Amino acid sequence: MRLSSKILAGALTLFGATIITAQPAHATVIKNSFLKTQRSITTYNSKKQVKLTIPKGTTVQVAGIKHAKGNKYVDLNVERLSYNIRKPLLGKKNPGIYTRWIRAKGYNFKQVHKPVYLSYFAAQSDGKKTLNKVKTENGNLWKGDRLPVDYATTTSTRFRISTNGYLEYFAKSPFVYKVSAKPTHSIKVLSASHPTASGKTILTVKSKFSGLPFVKKAHHYQLTIFNYDHGTITVVPNDNNVKKILTNWIFKVGKEIWYENNSVTTFK
């Protein structure tokens, strides 16, 4: 399967005439699209500090695109992958969290849809900019209802689903970090569902751990993430001296409230 850009021919009838229009193919690989590795890929991070191995069958998300000499290349955000893959980045001073450029060819990747286990948040909006507002959705859910004003120097409980489908729970995580440390608990998501218009993402895992409200279902356990579809704001440093406004989406997991920081607007 070739992953270079393709063009599909579409037809539009106007006043009895047929006009041929160019449309991008569904398989076009763009920033934030999802791929699955077709082989084990050994590469380095962008600063060439550490060697990284991305196993065959790993679902990854495209962080960036470049074209060179008629070929398309992608880089990947290793921080978003599970601990066993990002581990080499830990302990390095100011590590580059992106891979070096990897050729986007069929022997490396196959394009796939957004995984269902990432349905609880807008996985393809991170980094989008509108004037002074930047989307920051990355799937991290923090305990509570809003980002604290002193987030740059404090810690809290968070969990997330990695791009390659691991539920990672951090009992005490700094809000500001370059690479996620080893999680307190980590378990592979066996399957997931996202019932239409329910606001729920239901994850099925093999076993449970303390910290999250799993429900026993036959021989497995389920965790339900409910998106309330409303949010809160955090004003930094205060209402009388506004430097940043951060918005947060509210979620319910069991009986507890969690939130995701979904945008930051900076004022000069």
Side-chain angles (χ1 to χ4, degrees):
M1 173 184 176
R2 298 190 58 165
L3 295 181
S4 57
S5 297
K6 299 178 183 178
I7 297 296
L8 293 180
L12 173 66
T13 301
L14 184 63
F15 301 115
T18 299
I19 302 172
I20 302 299
T21 60
Q23 309 230 352
H26 175 73
T28 298
V29 176
I30 60 175
K31 182 178 179 179
N32 285 333
S33 59
F34 292 92
L35 308 173
K36 181 172 286 190
T37 55
Q38 296 297 93
R39 64 185 182 91
S40 179
I41 297 175
T42 299
T43 183
Y44 288 86
N45 66 336
S46 57
K47 294 185 177 183
K48 208 171 182 180
Q49 296 160 307
V50 295
K51 182 183 288 187
L52 299 164
T53 299
I54 305 174
K56 180 180 179 180
T58 300
T59 299
V60 298
Q61 189 171 17
V62 176
I65 294 283
K66 84 166 185 177
H67 293 84
K69 297 181 179 180
N71 292 303
K72 178 180 287 187
Y73 294 82
V74 299
D75 65 352
L76 314 171
N77 186 341
V78 183
E79 204 303 297
R80 299 279 181 85
L81 296 173
S82 56
Y83 175 70
N84 62 309
I85 298 176
R86 70 175 183 273
K87 183 179 178 180
L89 297 177
L90 292 169
K92 300 295 180 181
K93 186 176 181 180
N94 193 29
I97 62 174
Y98 300 96
T99 64
R100 304 201 76 191
W101 294 106
I102 304 171
R103 196 168 178 182
K105 297 288 285 185
Y107 55 75
N108 283 330
F109 303 107
K110 174 184 177 181
Q111 189 166 21
V112 295
H113 292 290
K114 171 185 172 181
V116 178
Y117 51 73
L118 299 182
S119 297
Y120 67 98
F121 76 106
Q124 294 172 291
S125 69
D126 191 28
K128 292 184 178 180
K129 300 179 181 179
T130 305
L131 298 177
N132 295 327
K133 183 177 181 179
V134 179
K135 300 294 287 184
T136 58
E137 295 193 64
N138 54 29
N140 282 310
L141 297 189
W142 300 84
K143 185 172 283 189
D145 67 354
R146 72 191 65 214
L147 191 70
V149 172
D150 60 348
Y151 69 91
T153 58
T154 57
T155 62
S156 186
T157 303
R158 73 174 167 108
F159 77 91
R160 70 174 184 181
I161 314 301
S162 68
T163 307
N164 58 324
Y166 282 81
L167 170 56
E168 297 190 330
Y169 176 87
F170 304 84
K172 190 176 182 180
S173 170
F175 285 98
V176 178
Y177 60 89
K178 190 75 172 181
V179 182
S180 293
K182 182 178 181 179
T184 309
H185 301 287
S186 176
I187 191 167
K188 180 70 174 176
V189 176
L190 299 177
S191 64
S193 63
H194 184 66
T196 304
S198 69
K200 296 179 180 179
T201 300
I202 304 169
L203 310 172
T204 299
V205 296
K206 185 176 181 179
S207 59
K208 65 177 181 177
F209 54 78
S210 60
L212 292 175
F214 294 94
V215 176
K216 183 72 180 291
K217 295 289 183 179
H219 302 295
H220 300 103
Y221 291 86
Q222 287 186 340
L223 183 74
T224 299
I225 303 171
F226 176 70
N227 189 332
Y228 268 124
D229 202 25
H230 72 266
T232 58
I233 65 169
T234 301
V235 180
V236 179
N238 55 61
D239 292 343
N240 297 319
N241 181 24
V242 180
K243 298 294 184 182
K244 293 181 181 180
I245 293 180
L246 303 108
T247 59
N248 316 284
W249 289 126
I250 300 299
F251 296 80
K252 192 171 184 180
V253 184
K255 296 181 180 180
E256 294 182 332
I257 298 299
W258 296 70
Y259 67 92
E260 181 204 30
N261 175 243
N262 75 306
S263 77
V264 56
T265 304
T266 304
F267 299 91
K268 296 181 179 180

